[in-house]
Amino acid sequence: MCSRRVWTHSELTPSSVSVNESDLVKGLLQALQGFSSPFIFWDQKEQTFRAKSEIRVSHLSQSSLHVLLAGFLYAATCLKLVESIVAGINTSLRSPPTLMGFSNSVSGWLERLRDIALNEEVKINDSNLAVTPTLLGLTSSLSSLCSGAEYLFQVVRGAIPHAYFESSSAISTAEIAVHVLDYLYKRLDEVCLVQGGEVEGFHVLLQIFAGSLLPYVEGLDSWLFEGTLDDPFEELFFSANQSVSVSDAEFWEKSYLLTRVLGPKSNVTSLNQKKGMSGNDSNSVSDKDKEQNNRVLCPLFIKDICKSIVSAGKSLQLMRHIPSTSSEKCGKIQYHGQNDFGNSACGILLAGRNSFRSTADLALSEIFCLSLAGLIGHGDHVSRYLWKDETDEWEISPTLPLYISGRLVDGTGDRDISALTYSDRMWYKLLVGAVQEKRSIDAKSELQSPCYVSHVKDEKNVLVAEKVLQRLFCHENPVVSVSKMDLERNKNAWNVLNLSQNYCLPSLNDESLLSAVFEGSGVADTGLTGTNYKFGFQFGRSEYLSNQDDTQILETLFPFPTLLPSFQPKLHMSEFLPFQKNSTLPSRVLSWMLKAEPRDTPLPVVIMQECLTIYIRRQVDDIGKVILSKLMNDWKLMHELAVLRAIYLLGSGDLLQHFLTVIFDRLSKGESSNDDFELNIILQESIRNSADAMLLSSPDALVVSISSEGSLDRDKDDKGEVKPRSSTRKSRVNNFGIDCLESLKFTYKVPWPLELIANSEAIKKYNQVMGFLLKVKRAKYVLDKARRWMWKGKGSATKIRKHHWLLEQKLLNFVDAFHQYVMDRVYHTAWRELCEAMVKAGSLDEVIDVHETYLLSIQRQCFVVQEKLWVIIASRINMILGLALEFYSIQQTLSSGGAVSAIKARCEMEIDRIEKQFEDCIAFLLRVLTSKLNVGHFPHLADLVTRINYNYHYMSDTGSLMTVSGS
């Protein structure tokens, strides 16, 4: 209604102009190409194409004319707005590479759509055709252009974040890259799921997605294959922490950090605010997992392997930083191409240690483009024919030519390709061409002559030009590279184009003038000719020769300075320049994708799996194998872990025996040991006298210290005041109780880079386990000592003595059973599980995880983790171990002459109390440990129950506690 009223108003205007329909058609075609015409103009304020209101067509009403023009004007407006957005991106100084790749791909589609209008205009202007152009005819011939223009505009508005064009926006380049790639990836997924398939939409999206992804893949290539973070715009999903170097202990954890969104939600919104364009994914993943995953600024299609990618690059840096000490095969990696292309091996020997390169020495972006061309062009899975053999050499599968030529049919499909030849496969031709060009580049690089040439005679100036043309690319004058074929075909013109022939001015025809000036002076009679600057007046012989040398040098540095290339319309740079990494092959594939219709519309997840992630995973796995080999062989990881096991799990028979004996004796006597220097003297003496001293590089490799949280005597309370010694038991138990050894901290310096695995946090956990094991060892030590005192008085077998013997056996049985459990589960079983898991590890990250799992396992089995269940169990075990010390203290009092009846009575009361507490603790422990839930989750608890409750002494097999007779 509104449009009809507007056009009705225009009909009433007296200044209407009658327009020929053919002229109006030409104006529309020019508008579709982005130009204004006498009847159609660009409204800068409203940002739209408009037709002048006074135009009229004789055989059409204004309403019909408006309807016919509306579609074309909208398509022209869409293309003009796309051009404006692309121009804004190209002229902006803060456009990241991903956005620039997106802009270049969109520019290609913009040019392709406008070429349709250009071809139509050329057809109309062709004088040989007598067809009169009409608006209705234009509607049918340009339907694809109008729909494509609208679709392209929607893609551009949806892919570019709105905040990018706001000067005050703080949007990061990583957010821009992730938004562009994720939007295109989701739109591809939506197009593939449409019934019937939108091939045109899929074609547009896929080509733009591939062009936008290439800069991101190039950054991953330098990281995965060179260990270099080449990301000046900080687009990737991780960034470098410059404060941490590769030689620091925190390198693995803090050197490269994942880029995360600052807030719970990103403020990135697209230019297209239409409903349904947000791209929310409703998969079967929980909301909690979604929120956690969305915090990392990583594209959707590599989010599950982002941590592995970061680890692989860090592994490369680690291996290159440490000189190799073994003659492994990673010193040199050679790549062969057993291609049956009619050529020999197309390999490149890459010197240098730890050189990692991609398949056939192509970059990751080039492999991605080849795989994509094979998948959408012929349904071929290119990754099947590019593989790595057992000698870690990249090869092209020998079955590739047979498969492509039709002599070998893929068993996984029913397609008959016998009619196709290898020349029909675009990706195959691109692969062969790329390999051959790379080989020729390497061959010519070895034969290149030095660029400095001097003393070249005039008759041999052609040698300089030949040396220049031997190079595939002349960096000094790119025009030579463009015109290389023309120069080789026209060698006769080299002298004309040569700088040395035109450096000096030509001689002047001034003989008659010189004769008139010098007539009668005798100078003219000496045979004076015209002025010749080649030998000129201003130069002597030496200056002339020096000038000739300078000319030749300049000619070598800047050959053919006056050469202009022939004009070739729509010729891409990749067509005439030599092969360039990350440029030539991707450019050719993108150009081919722009013109060729895809034969199939695979899902985006299949595209990324077959064309990108399969190669990333393969490279990650290969790097993991190499670094694991270094860990086990060069850096002797398992040997160092065995040393930690011998120290902190008390695995060595006598490494710490002397040290612990001295400490236990001092604590028994009530002597304090707070001097770190004295403790280390005792420790080094114990190591030197040990049969396992060779485990350590030197006796001082292991250092003991007393932590600030407490001391061995603990004779002060939390306020720093001296505790009152109210009784014998309190003075001995509180001051030298079972927990006093927790203040001992042992430090073993693991050699770098193994401290990335056994870092300070791991050593802290080892100390926690060791503190618990020292409690068990001390309890066993004092019970054995108490038994010797009791054996001395075995002649007086009274009822009280028997009671003491029985309690001592109960305590000793528990401590021995617990000690056996620790040795079996912690020392042997946990170590065996660690070794088995290390064999299955595939990367340094997995090795660290295995070691962390091992530490958590022994912490749980020693009940030193800060979890409710383990804290409850540990409290009762510590109480029983403390009761062993109290029993020892009582026996020490009785054996030292405590014959006073009051002391004996007090000791008997303490014995009764110890027995009562022991029985309560055993009953509680068995109830907790025999719980089906706990035993089901932690099977090692069943082993502990079997050892404590041997022969069902405390609890029957039905779970009922046995009655214990009190004293």
Side-chain angles (χ1 to χ4, degrees):
M1 178 67 72
C2 294
S3 62
R4 179 170 297 181
R5 293 179 63 182
V6 171
W7 282 97
T8 302
H9 173 74
S10 64
E11 289 176 355
L12 298 177
T13 57
S15 58
S16 60
V17 179
S18 180
V19 178
N20 190 0
E21 187 175 4
S22 61
D23 294 335
L24 190 57
V25 168
K26 294 178 181 179
L28 285 174
L29 292 174
Q30 292 178 8
L32 288 170
Q33 298 175 59
F35 307 112
S36 297
S37 65
F39 311 111
I40 298 173
F41 66 96
W42 173 253
D43 190 342
Q44 189 67 31
K45 181 178 181 181
E46 298 295 334
Q47 291 289 296
T48 183
F49 271 105
R50 294 187 183 277
K52 292 185 177 181
S53 58
E54 63 271 14
I55 63 173
R56 294 181 58 190
V57 178
S58 59
H59 62 282
L60 293 174
S61 65
Q62 290 288 20
S63 59
S64 299
L65 181 61
H66 168 69
V67 172
L68 290 174
L69 293 178
F72 296 110
L73 294 178
Y74 180 69
T77 300
C78 290
L79 294 179
K80 187 69 174 180
L81 291 176
V82 169
E83 178 187 1
S84 176
I85 295 173
V86 169
I89 294 174
N90 293 336
T91 56
S92 176
L93 297 178
R94 60 175 192 149
S95 297
T98 298
L99 198 57
M100 290 297 297
F102 172 82
S103 172
N104 293 334
S105 298
V106 171
S107 298
W109 281 100
L110 180 64
E111 182 181 358
R112 174 179 171 173
L113 293 175
R114 283 181 167 173
D115 282 346
I116 299 176
L118 177 61
N119 295 332
E120 190 69 21
E121 185 179 9
V122 171
K123 186 189 301 182
I124 291 174
N125 293 328
D126 191 352
S127 58
N128 297 328
L129 298 178
V131 179
T132 302
T134 62
L135 293 176
L136 289 176
L138 200 64
T139 302
S140 61
S141 61
L142 298 184
S143 59
S144 62
L145 169 60
C146 295
S147 61
E150 181 179 3
Y151 191 79
L152 183 64
F153 180 58
Q154 290 179 1
V155 171
V156 172
R157 292 195 65 181
I160 301 177
H162 179 68
Y164 170 74
F165 293 100
E166 298 177 357
S167 58
S168 60
S169 174
I171 184 173
S172 64
T173 54
E175 288 180 288
I176 296 174
V178 170
H179 179 80
V180 171
L181 297 177
D182 283 355
Y183 174 82
L184 296 174
Y185 183 78
K186 292 174 184 177
R187 284 298 299 268
L188 265 176
D189 196 39
E190 293 172 3
V191 171
C192 290
L193 297 178
V194 173
Q195 290 292 335
E198 297 179 3
V199 178
E200 180 66 25
F202 178 83
H203 187 197
V204 173
L205 283 171
L206 183 59
Q207 201 272 347
I208 295 177
F209 176 68
S212 306
L213 182 60
L214 284 179
Y216 207 90
V217 176
E218 290 175 14
L220 294 178
D221 175 80
S222 62
W223 177 252
L224 286 172
F225 295 95
E226 299 174 8
T228 303
L229 181 57
D230 186 9
D231 185 27
F233 285 85
E234 299 181 351
E235 280 191 306
L236 296 180
F237 53 87
F238 61 97
S239 58
N241 183 3
Q242 301 296 339
S243 61
V244 180
S245 66
V246 68
S247 58
D248 293 340
E250 298 176 335
F251 167 74
W252 196 258
E253 295 179 356
K254 298 181 180 181
S255 59
Y256 293 91
L257 306 176
L258 293 175
T259 305
R260 299 182 180 272
V261 185
L262 297 179
K265 292 183 179 180
S266 176
N267 57 355
V268 177
T269 55
S270 63
L271 290 175
N272 198 335
Q273 300 295 331
K274 293 182 180 180
K275 184 178 180 180
M277 300 295 288
S278 61
N280 292 330
D281 191 10
S282 57
N283 292 334
S284 58
V285 187
S286 63
D287 294 336
K288 183 178 180 180
D289 293 338
K290 283 184 180 181
E291 182 179 357
Q292 184 67 20
N293 291 336
N294 288 336
R295 291 185 59 83
V296 179
L297 280 175
C298 179
L300 291 173
F301 43 86
I302 56 173
K303 185 165 288 187
D304 57 335
I305 58 173
C306 62
K307 293 184 178 179
S308 301
I309 293 173
V310 177
S311 300
K314 290 192 292 187
S315 299
L316 284 179
Q317 290 189 355
L318 198 62
M319 288 186 288
R320 290 193 171 118
H321 183 74
I322 304 174
S324 179
T325 57
S326 65
S327 58
E328 290 190 77
K329 58 191 173 187
C330 60
K332 287 185 179 180
I333 300 180
Q334 189 171 4
Y335 306 87
H336 297 284
Q338 300 173 353
N339 46 35
D340 282 350
F341 298 153
N343 300 315
S344 58
C346 54
I348 301 171
L349 182 62
L350 300 174
R353 295 191 180 276
N354 303 326
S355 297
F356 291 88
R357 291 293 183 269
S358 57
T359 307
D361 197 37
L362 296 178
L364 186 61
S365 60
E366 297 168 337
I367 291 296
F368 167 74
C369 290
L370 280 176
S371 303
L372 183 59
L375 185 63
I376 66 173
H378 300 279
D380 296 336
H381 299 275
V382 179
S383 60
R384 298 180 183 179
Y385 313 107
L386 302 173
W387 46 275
K388 207 170 188 180
D389 65 357
E390 296 179 355
T391 60
D392 283 345
E393 295 176 351
W394 283 108
E395 294 186 356
I396 300 175
S397 171
T399 62
L400 175 60
L402 299 177
Y403 175 81
I404 293 177
S405 62
R407 287 176 285 169
L408 178 65
V409 179
D410 186 8
T412 61
D414 298 326
R415 300 177 53 206
D416 184 13
I417 60 172
S418 58
L420 297 176
T421 61
Y422 64 90
S423 60
D424 295 325
R425 307 292 176 113
M426 175 56 65
W427 68 267
Y428 178 80
K429 293 188 291 184
L430 292 172
L431 174 61
V432 173
V435 172
Q436 289 177 345
E437 288 187 56
K438 279 180 172 288
R439 186 169 66 249
S440 61
I441 289 175
D442 293 317
K444 290 200 173 186
S445 63
E446 297 177 358
L447 300 176
Q448 274 189 12
S449 58
C451 61
Y452 182 87
V453 181
S454 61
H455 299 290
V456 181
K457 297 183 180 180
D458 294 342
E459 62 271 13
K460 295 184 179 181
N461 286 336
V462 69
L463 295 178
V464 179
E466 288 180 349
K467 294 178 183 298
V468 170
L469 291 178
Q470 283 180 359
R471 291 180 289 174
L472 288 175
F473 182 69
C474 181
H475 299 277
E476 302 84 2
N477 188 6
V479 177
V480 175
S481 301
V482 178
S483 308
K484 179 181 176 183
M485 300 301 297
D486 294 334
L487 287 172
E488 291 181 347
R489 286 193 297 264
N490 300 279
K491 293 187 177 182
N492 295 331
W494 288 6
N495 288 331
V496 179
L497 298 173
N498 200 287
L499 180 66
S500 60
Q501 299 297 323
N502 301 279
Y503 186 75
C504 297
L505 294 175
S507 59
L508 300 179
N509 187 16
D510 57 352
E511 293 86 353
S512 59
L513 178 63
L514 290 176
S515 299
V517 170
F518 296 103
E519 185 178 1
S521 63
V523 178
D525 299 334
T526 61
L528 183 65
T529 59
T531 305
N532 188 351
Y533 286 100
K534 187 173 183 180
F535 299 99
F537 299 120
Q538 70 272 37
F539 296 124
R541 185 66 181 172
S542 61
E543 289 85 354
Y544 169 73
L545 293 177
S546 176
N547 183 49
Q548 287 293 99
D549 288 342
D550 294 342
T551 304
Q552 298 298 338
I553 293 173
L554 184 61
E555 179 181 287
T556 304
L557 295 176
F558 195 69
F560 303 124
T562 61
L563 180 65
L564 293 178
S566 59
F567 175 74
Q568 303 178 49
K570 295 185 179 180
L571 183 64
H572 293 280
M573 294 289 290
S574 59
E575 297 298 329
F576 57 80
L577 290 180
F579 191 90
Q580 303 291 316
K581 179 182 177 182
N582 288 328
S583 175
T584 303
L585 186 57
S587 177
R588 292 172 182 174
V589 172
L590 291 178
S591 300
W592 171 78
M593 289 178 63
L594 192 64
K595 302 172 184 176
E597 291 285 343
R599 297 189 181 184
D600 198 3
T601 57
L603 290 171
V605 63
V606 177
I607 293 175
M608 300 311 299
Q609 171 63 29
E610 291 293 334
C611 303
L612 181 62
T613 58
I614 185 173
Y615 300 104
I616 293 178
R617 292 181 186 274
R618 185 180 295 172
Q619 178 67 7
V620 168
D621 293 342
D622 293 337
I623 294 175
K625 291 178 183 177
V626 175
I627 196 169
L628 284 177
S629 175
K630 285 184 168 293
L631 280 172
M632 300 303 174
N633 300 324
D634 289 1
W635 304 334
K636 303 185 184 303
L637 171 63
M638 298 309 296
H639 170 75
E640 293 299 327
L641 292 182
V643 173
L644 294 176
R645 173 174 174 246
I647 295 172
Y648 291 99
L649 302 188
L650 306 181
S652 174
D654 60 348
L655 189 65
L656 301 178
Q657 183 65 32
H658 173 70
F659 175 81
L660 295 179
T661 301
V662 173
I663 296 299
F664 292 163
D665 285 341
R666 289 187 176 185
L667 293 176
S668 299
K669 298 175 183 178
E671 300 176 2
S672 63
S673 299
N674 293 328
D675 188 356
D676 289 352
F677 179 77
E678 182 184 4
L679 290 177
N680 280 286
I681 292 297
I682 301 173
L683 177 61
Q684 292 179 20
E685 182 181 356
S686 177
I687 294 174
R688 279 193 295 266
N689 296 330
S690 171
D692 295 330
M694 296 302 295
L695 286 175
L696 305 181
S697 57
S698 61
D700 57 352
L702 181 63
V703 179
V704 64
S705 61
I706 301 175
S707 64
S708 58
E709 289 87 3
S711 59
L712 288 182
D713 56 0
R714 293 193 175 186
D715 55 353
K716 295 183 180 181
D717 58 13
D718 295 337
K719 297 181 180 180
E721 299 178 355
V722 179
K723 299 178 182 179
R725 300 173 179 259
S726 57
S727 64
T728 304
R729 181 181 66 85
K730 289 184 179 180
S731 63
R732 292 191 177 276
V733 175
N734 290 349
N735 298 333
F736 304 96
I738 194 66
D739 295 328
C740 68
L741 291 176
E742 290 181 354
S743 59
L744 285 180
K745 302 299 178 185
F746 291 83
T747 303
Y748 174 72
K749 182 65 174 177
V750 180
W752 196 86
L754 296 183
E755 62 178 336
L756 300 176
I757 302 171
N759 52 19
S760 58
E761 288 297 322
I763 298 298
K764 190 180 299 183
K765 295 176 182 179
Y766 273 116
N767 269 299
Q768 291 176 352
V769 175
M770 186 179 188
F772 175 80
L773 298 180
L774 289 179
K775 294 179 187 179
V776 178
K777 196 170 187 68
R778 185 186 177 196
K780 183 174 176 58
Y781 176 82
V782 296
L783 287 176
D784 289 340
K785 197 170 184 178
R787 178 191 292 179
R788 289 195 294 271
W789 289 336
M790 295 171 66
W791 272 97
K792 291 180 181 179
K794 63 181 180 178
S796 56
T798 61
K799 183 178 180 180
I800 295 177
R801 286 287 183 182
K802 291 180 180 179
H803 182 207
H804 290 194
W805 275 103
L806 181 61
L807 179 58
E808 191 268 344
Q809 285 298 318
K810 290 180 180 180
L811 292 170
L812 189 58
N813 175 72
F814 176 86
V815 173
D816 284 342
F818 201 86
H819 185 262
Q820 290 177 3
Y821 157 80
V822 167
M823 294 304 295
D824 288 345
R825 299 295 307 186
V826 177
Y827 189 74
H828 295 292
T829 305
W831 177 258
R832 185 178 67 252
E833 293 173 353
L834 171 69
C835 296
E836 293 173 354
M838 284 292 184
V839 174
K840 300 176 182 178
S843 65
L844 184 53
D845 263 337
E846 293 183 15
V847 169
I848 294 176
D849 291 340
V850 168
H851 185 245
E852 288 293 330
T853 304
Y854 167 72
L855 286 177
L856 180 60
S857 174
I858 62 177
Q859 279 184 299
R860 281 179 172 169
Q861 292 170 7
C862 292
F863 310 102
V864 293
V865 291
Q866 297 301 317
E867 298 176 7
K868 185 176 180 180
L869 173 64
W870 310 109
V871 170
I872 293 175
I873 297 176
S875 64
R876 297 307 189 275
I877 295 176
N878 285 337
M879 190 176 294
I880 294 177
L881 298 178
L883 292 176
L885 289 187
E886 294 182 23
F887 180 81
Y888 166 79
S889 179
I890 293 173
Q891 294 301 322
Q892 186 180 27
T893 301
L894 293 175
S895 64
S896 61
V900 182
S901 58
I903 296 178
K904 288 185 177 182
R906 181 59 183 268
C907 290
E908 289 304 318
M909 292 176 59
E910 293 296 324
I911 290 293
D912 293 340
R913 180 190 59 80
I914 292 173
E915 185 176 23
K916 178 65 170 59
Q917 289 186 359
F918 175 76
E919 292 172 356
D920 292 343
C921 291
I922 287 292
F924 180 84
L925 278 177
L926 292 177
R927 286 194 187 99
V928 174
L929 295 176
T930 55
S931 172
K932 293 182 180 180
L933 177 64
N934 294 333
V935 173
H937 282 80
F938 308 104
H940 64 274
L941 297 182
D943 183 26
L944 180 58
V945 171
T946 303
R947 296 179 184 274
I948 295 176
N949 192 35
Y950 189 71
N951 285 337
Y952 303 105
H953 182 74
Y954 298 106
M955 179 181 286
S956 65
D957 55 351
T958 60
S960 57
L961 291 172
M962 308 294 289
T963 56
V964 183
S965 59
S967 56

